[in-house]
Amino acid sequence: MAAEKSGERTPTIKDVAKAAGVSQATVSYVLNNLNKVTPEVDAHVRRVARELGYSRNRVARALKTGRNNVIGCIMPSLLSPVFPEIAQAVQQRAEEHGFATFVIDSGLQTATREAEAIRMLADHGVDGAIAVLASPRAASDRRALPLIVIDQPMDGMDSVYADHRGGGRLLAEHAIGLGHRRIGLLSGLQSLYSSRERHEGFIEAAQGRLDIVWDIEVPLVPSLPSDAFDALGRRDVSLVVCVNDLIAMTALSALRQMRIRVPEDMSVMGFDDMQWSGWPLLNLTTVRQPLGQLGRDAVDLLVRRLDAPDAEISNITLPVSLVERGSTQPQSDRPL
């Protein structure tokens, strides 16, 4: 076999896609045996890949390119419906770029655990990582590997996040438009950027127009602390605004236990529009953040960073929108 010509470039998925006249995603589906295309397309792509000399041998490709074509994805909890949706989008977009994905659940969102996850990915030779982090301290060692942050901006790092503050304002404006006055807030941990921004956006828009009867900081787990449960039972508000849909779902369950009707006796709003929020049992009014787009944009940023390590830092803010469903209704003139 003749030796490879000096300077000859190793064929990529992009090259195969161009030569075959199909998308990079189609090539990835074929080469990863995902059975998402017709047999004819499958055979055509494989033939073109062979003709171009495309190799799936990751070790050989790593030696030639200096990359393993593997990225890491660190999510706070795969038990929440929100983060698996983002991780799925990361995996699908990464595949389109020719990368495999290694997903890690960072559990309790502590800086120590998150830093350990980043180091573990670096030790396993991933080319870069995408992460939802609770603490900037976790990413303090920028030399570990290229890192894209989802859900908040971090100094000196590429990031993509939703307009959390704008979403908080949307919730307040909707409450005002429905005629509610006395509001209860189940706010998330204010040490977290997204929770803090949502809370501050709501407070800004509510100033002088809504009465915040109680404001309780709750952990982002599917259970309410006793003071939050007791506050709901006092029935002294007409609307409860929750930091996210998981907390809203928990509040709806608590209200059902107390035989408080939603929305007739009390309205409830959330934030995220997770995949369960539109189910008839929840039917939750919420703010939709583009979860899939967060994942896709993060991968695009990471690939850009790998191709151009010295490129200017990018911070992308994605718009949000209000989704009105059956968990809210206009407030009547009856006293609470």
Side-chain angles (χ1 to χ4, degrees):
M1 181 181 293
E4 185 179 82
K5 295 178 183 179
S6 177
E8 185 177 345
R9 188 169 63 86
T10 303
T12 66
I13 280 184
K14 185 176 181 180
D15 296 326
V16 176
K18 183 177 180 180
V22 297
S23 69
Q24 292 181 54
T26 297
V27 175
S28 183
Y29 295 152
V30 171
L31 298 180
N32 285 287
N33 301 309
L34 296 180
N35 299 318
K36 290 187 176 183
V37 301
T38 65
E40 294 77 14
V41 171
D42 186 285
H44 172 62
V45 170
R46 290 183 189 278
R47 178 178 58 79
V48 171
R50 285 195 302 272
E51 291 174 354
L52 290 179
Y54 177 82
S55 173
R56 290 284 295 163
N57 188 316
R58 292 192 181 277
V59 175
R61 293 178 67 196
L63 290 173
K64 290 180 179 180
T65 66
R67 290 188 189 174
N68 289 313
N69 278 42
V70 179
I71 65 171
C73 179
I74 302 172
M75 293 288 123
S77 173
L78 296 179
L79 294 177
S80 165
V82 170
F83 299 117
E85 189 170 340
I86 295 174
Q88 183 182 54
V90 167
Q91 181 177 351
Q92 290 172 347
R93 180 69 101 195
E95 193 175 275
E96 293 174 12
H97 284 288
F99 288 80
T101 307
F102 184 178
V103 180
I104 293 180
D105 185 331
S106 63
L108 298 176
Q109 285 189 290
T110 65
T112 300
R113 171 59 181 149
E114 290 169 348
E116 288 173 353
I118 293 171
R119 285 195 298 272
M120 181 169 65
L121 289 172
D123 290 344
H124 279 77
V126 303
D127 299 306
I130 290 163
V132 176
L133 300 174
S135 172
R137 297 200 312 276
S140 59
D141 184 1
R142 307 294 169 81
R143 300 165 298 175
L145 76 169
L147 187 67
I148 308 300
V149 178
I150 291 182
D151 206 40
Q152 64 178 312
M154 282 192 182
D155 184 45
M157 306 188 71
D158 296 306
S159 61
V160 55
Y161 47 93
D163 182 7
H164 300 293
R165 185 175 292 251
R169 290 194 294 266
L170 285 177
L171 291 173
E173 294 293 346
H174 189 57
I176 293 164
L178 290 176
H180 290 274
R181 181 69 182 182
R182 295 173 61 82
I183 310 296
L185 298 183
L186 293 179
S187 305
L189 303 176
Q190 295 303 289
S191 58
L192 299 177
Y193 174 85
S194 57
S195 297
R196 186 170 63 252
E197 286 288 294
R198 294 173 189 184
H199 182 266
E200 291 179 2
F202 187 92
I203 296 298
E204 287 173 0
Q207 195 69 35
R209 300 192 289 174
L210 296 172
D211 295 331
I212 310 300
V213 179
W214 42 263
D215 185 351
I216 301 173
E217 191 172 325
V218 298
L220 304 183
V221 295
S223 62
L224 293 179
S226 58
D227 55 345
F229 193 90
D230 292 343
L232 290 172
R234 291 198 295 271
R235 306 188 187 207
D236 55 359
V237 299
S238 64
L239 171 67
V240 178
V241 179
C242 304
V243 66
N244 63 25
D245 289 357
L246 187 63
I247 298 301
M249 179 178 69
T250 307
L252 289 170
S253 177
L255 291 170
R256 190 173 292 114
Q257 290 179 45
M258 292 182 278
R259 300 189 183 280
I260 298 174
R261 299 173 302 164
V262 176
E264 294 85 357
D265 301 325
M266 195 178 296
S267 291
V268 176
M269 295 195 294
F271 199 116
D272 283 334
D273 197 27
M274 63 185 188
Q275 56 187 334
W276 298 346
S277 300
W279 288 9
L281 207 60
L282 298 180
N283 202 20
L284 182 65
T285 294
T286 185
V287 167
R288 174 179 295 157
Q289 62 166 324
L291 300 173
Q293 195 63 46
L294 286 169
R296 291 188 291 272
D297 284 357
V299 174
D300 291 343
L301 283 176
L302 180 55
V303 172
R304 171 180 174 270
R305 179 58 55 195
L306 293 174
D307 290 338
D310 297 325
E312 185 178 349
I313 295 295
S314 294
N315 292 290
I316 301 174
T317 306
L318 298 179
V320 297
S321 58
L322 183 80
V323 181
E324 184 175 4
R325 298 194 179 101
S327 67
T328 53
Q329 71 174 23
Q331 168 64 359
S332 66
D333 294 330
R334 64 174 177 77
L336 288 171

